[in-house]
Amino acid sequence: MDAAETRSNLGPARRSHDASARPPLPLWVPPVCAVMFGAAVALQTPRDGMPGLTAPLVGLVLALGAYALVTGVRARQGTPKRRVSPAALAATATGVAAFSTSSLNSTSTSDLRWLYLAAGVVVAGIVWYRLQRNAPGSARS
């Protein structure tokens, strides 16, 4: 058996293993989580004259709810939890702290609302793409 034949025989076996080890998410999960994460980022917008914690806390609840939704669906599918790398955890914590701190800063201006809205749209797109890769009918390489 030559290398090309071996590679062609291992392709279906690898896809079969991937499908059984990580079953696809239902079609409704990626868009719902994407909207929740995007809204969570957009809610971190600084507000002049309103230094309250309501919007940032609602954003935090939305982000945690989206994470809990994906984790719950994965648990019902029998998929084991993924181990988070320390670097990814540190980057996430730094980003959350920076966004939340800037929304509490009373000297910041609300002229940057478009920046937070754009960041929310980008985050929603990334989350949707990442979760959609495991949806039924998606073409995975």
Side-chain angles (χ1 to χ4, degrees), residues 40-56:
V41 171
L43 283 172
Q44 302 304 312
T45 305
R47 287 166 181 77
D48 290 338
M50 285 183 28
L53 290 173
T54 304

Side-chain angles (χ1 to χ4, degrees), residues 45-70:
T45 305
R47 287 166 181 77
D48 290 338
M50 285 183 28
L53 290 173
T54 304
L57 289 179
V58 169
L60 179 64
V61 168
L62 281 171
L64 291 175
Y67 179 77
L69 176 67
V70 171

